[in-house]
Amino acid sequence: MRLTLGRRAGALAAIVALSAGGLLTAAGSASADDSVQLTTSNWVGIYKDANTSAKTGAADASPSSWIYAHCWKVGQSIGNWGNTWYQITYVWYNGASGWTYTPGYAFAGYVDNNAHTVNRDSNIPQC
């Protein structure tokens, strides 16, 4: 009886551990981040929300810089460039030696012509 109880407890512990691991993996994959290089000739401002009403105070990113995008969302439309914006956490400014913490939003049309928005990059989901 003791051996049977021990096996059952061990099996139950293994099931619980695997279930918890699966839940953690599923929760962890719900959002991811990806680095995106500025591929247009535009300088990109960093804004407090997905519109041009308020900049964060961070320097604009020059062409060939990189942003670290968390997700994208629909916001202010700018000309014929669209209305999607990246929510970002970091910028690697052109010529810099590392990432600079700059939370905010960058207009996707100016970053890369929206190449990584609207579910085109599985690591950058809709916010």
Side-chain angles (χ1 to χ4, degrees):
M1 181 69 162
R2 188 167 207 224
L3 184 59
T4 305
L5 261 173
R7 284 185 182 167
R8 287 183 184 162
L12 180 60
I15 290 169
V16 169
L18 289 172
S19 297
L23 287 174
L24 289 174
T25 301
S29 63
S31 67
D33 298 331
D34 206 357
S35 55
V36 178
Q37 187 171 25
L38 277 64
T39 57
T40 70
S41 60
N42 297 299
W43 285 68
V44 176
I46 312 302
Y47 297 88
K48 292 182 180 181
D49 203 355
N51 59 63
T52 57
S53 65
K55 292 183 104 176
T56 62
D60 291 354
S62 65
S64 298
S65 296
W66 291 77
I67 60 164
Y68 201 68
H70 176 66
C71 60
W72 63 268
K73 76 178 206 176
V74 173
Q76 178 184 351
S77 180
I78 300 177
N80 292 327
W81 293 90
N83 63 356
T84 52
W85 294 69
Y86 292 114
Q87 181 186 57
I88 67 169
T89 48
Y90 296 94
V91 174
W92 190 306
Y93 290 99
N94 196 14
S97 60
W99 293 100
T100 302
Y101 182 66
T102 51
Y105 290 85
F107 182 60
Y110 286 178
V111 171
D112 63 354
N113 285 319
N114 303 297
H116 291 86
T117 63
V118 194
N119 302 323
R120 292 182 188 115
D121 183 334
S122 61
N123 289 322
I124 306 174
Q126 185 172 9
C127 298

